[in-house]
Amino acid sequence: MNIAVFASHGGSDLQAIMDGCKENKINAKVQVVISNNGDSMALQRAEKENIPHFHLSAKTEGSEETLAKRLLDVLEEYNIDMIFLAGYMRLLHITILEKYNNRVFNIHPALLPKYGGKGMYGINVHTAVIAAREKESGVTIHRVNAEYDSGEIVAQTKVPVLENDTPETLAARVLEREHTFLVEVISDIVEGKIELG
Ligand code: GRF
């Protein structure tokens, strides 16, 4: 199975997926990495793994529409079966969601539907979880549709919130769990335990 990963920043989730494929924990290959951020560590990580990677954004391509067309061309060129958004800070154009219906997934660092939606990304999520005095947080993997963080949830796992947690210490614990959870869930998708398409 051919996977495309979209990432905007650090790319540690991308790294976990690439490593999972390399270690044969996921019977698939990351064929292409796309980032809207030319300086992203994600692109550097793809480079190091000799995986084709592209800096593509509405800015580089001129508009959302030309970006969507370019992305569709790249996804076609690499015969992509599944798209994984791993810290991708943009909405995918509807034409991509339609063509890859039920084959686009996103990972979110909280137990959706709580602590999701517009503006709920990065440290904001963990700040809100702590402010609400939650005893647990977690990781959600869901299908992607036209709104942020609102597609069908396909897998969730819980992560404890500790007494003296700061947003940063909680973020680190959740991100750590993401890296192992990603491999488990993507493997389930590839093996057909979670329906694709
Ligand atoms: C992760 O917390 C993920 O849940 C969210 O974006 C972050 C990506 O982290 N969607 P990294 O760039 O992969 O390190």
Side-chain angles (χ1 to χ4, degrees):
M1 187 174 289
N2 297 327
I3 301 174
V5 179
F6 286 58
S8 298
H9 299 298
S12 72
D13 281 346
L14 161 68
Q15 191 65 54
I17 298 169
M18 295 189 295
D19 292 348
C21 294
K22 244 179 3 185
E23 294 154 13
N24 296 317
K25 292 178 188 160
I26 301 171
N27 182 16
K29 179 130 178 38
V30 176
Q31 296 291 3
V32 65
V33 172
I34 291 161
S35 182
N36 59 302
N37 171 5
D39 301 330
S40 65
M41 270 281 286
L43 290 177
Q44 293 165 35
R45 292 174 186 270
E47 170 101 34
K48 250 175 75 197
E49 301 286 345
N50 292 319
I51 292 178
H53 48 286
F54 298 85
H55 168 209
L56 296 173
S57 68
K59 237 190 345 269
T60 66
E61 304 311 302
S63 74
E64 287 299 340
E65 285 64 32
T66 44
L67 171 62
K69 226 205 122 331
R70 179 89 168 86
L71 288 174
L72 285 167
D73 291 346
V74 170
L75 293 166
E76 189 81 35
E77 183 187 343
Y78 289 91
N79 298 313
I80 296 304
D81 303 298
M82 181 222 289
I83 297 170
F84 209 95
L85 309 185
Y88 184 61
M89 297 293 133
R90 293 283 183 279
L91 280 175
L92 283 186
H93 196 271
I94 189 71
T95 51
I96 300 169
L97 297 178
E98 281 166 354
K99 174 153 188 213
Y100 293 88
N101 186 36
N102 280 334
R103 291 188 286 148
V104 184
F105 298 86
N106 181 57
I107 184 166
H108 183 76
L111 295 173
L112 292 177
K114 294 173 77 173
Y115 308 109
K118 202 154 172 45
M120 271 294 165
Y121 57 84
I123 203 71
N124 305 351
V125 175
H126 310 292
T127 303
V129 166
I130 288 183
R133 300 188 179 293
E134 297 284 1
K135 291 283 163 281
E136 61 187 16
S137 188
V139 184
T140 302
I141 293 177
H142 62 92
R143 294 186 202 276
V144 175
N145 61 27
E147 290 92 45
Y148 282 112
D149 301 331
S150 62
E152 176 207 353
I153 291 173
V154 296
Q156 268 188 335
T157 185
K158 291 190 170 115
V159 171
V161 180
L162 305 182
E163 254 319 283
N164 52 0
D165 260 332
T166 64
E168 291 70 23
T169 57
L170 177 58
R173 188 174 314 113
V174 171
L175 189 59
E176 183 73 27
R177 180 65 185 110
E178 287 183 37
H179 297 156
T180 51
F181 192 54
L182 272 167
V183 175
E184 295 160 23
V185 176
I186 294 177
S187 178
D188 284 350
I189 296 169
V190 171
E191 303 305 325
K193 294 184 191 132
I194 294 174
E195 194 207 344
L196 186 64

